[in-house]
Amino acid sequence: QVQLVESGGGLVQPGGSLRLSCAASGSIFSIYDMGWYRQAPGKLRELVATISTGGSTNYADSVKGRFTISRDNAKHTVYLQMNSLKPEDTAVYYCHAKYTPTMRDYWGQGTQVTVSS
């Protein structure tokens, strides 16, 4: 069982930056592939970025070059650094953990990111 708690969301102007954090507890963090997803009003939840247990990363085309995902296994935390934010980045951002051998996965409660002037 894994509990995920996101933080770091808020209101930011276009062009600004935010760093989201997701703290995990309840299991061995390093064995989970981690990711960030987002869901805007009226839209489906979509993948933003993932990072594997080995540190390999993957990004949605819409955020490549602007967002960076990283993980600190010692702190049981995954981060999403978001730069050059755009209004279309406005969404609830969710942290996701997946244990690939069994495909068991977990979600955080979400944190709101609003990009507006």
Side-chain angles (χ1 to χ4, degrees), residues 35-90:
W36 288 96
Y37 289 71
R38 67 186 181 187
Q39 187 166 17
K43 295 188 177 181
L44 296 174
R45 190 173 297 188
E46 63 177 4
L47 180 146
V48 175
T50 61
I51 185 166
S52 71
T53 55
S56 297
T57 59
N58 180 54
Y59 296 93
D61 287 344
S62 59
V63 307
K64 281 181 182 176
R66 300 189 297 123
F67 291 11
T68 302
I69 189 171
S70 60
R71 64 190 296 162
D72 186 333
N73 289 338
K75 295 183 178 179
H76 293 193
T77 301
V78 61
Y79 304 98
L80 185 68
Q81 178 67 44
M82 305 186 294
N83 299 328
S84 302
L85 282 161
K86 305 175 181 180
E88 51 264 43
D89 295 317
T90 295

Side-chain angles (χ1 to χ4, degrees), residues 97-110:
K98 183 177 69 177
Y99 182 56
T100 299
T102 63
M103 300 304 287
R104 181 72 170 94
D105 68 342
Y106 305 88
W107 293 92
Q109 82 289 350

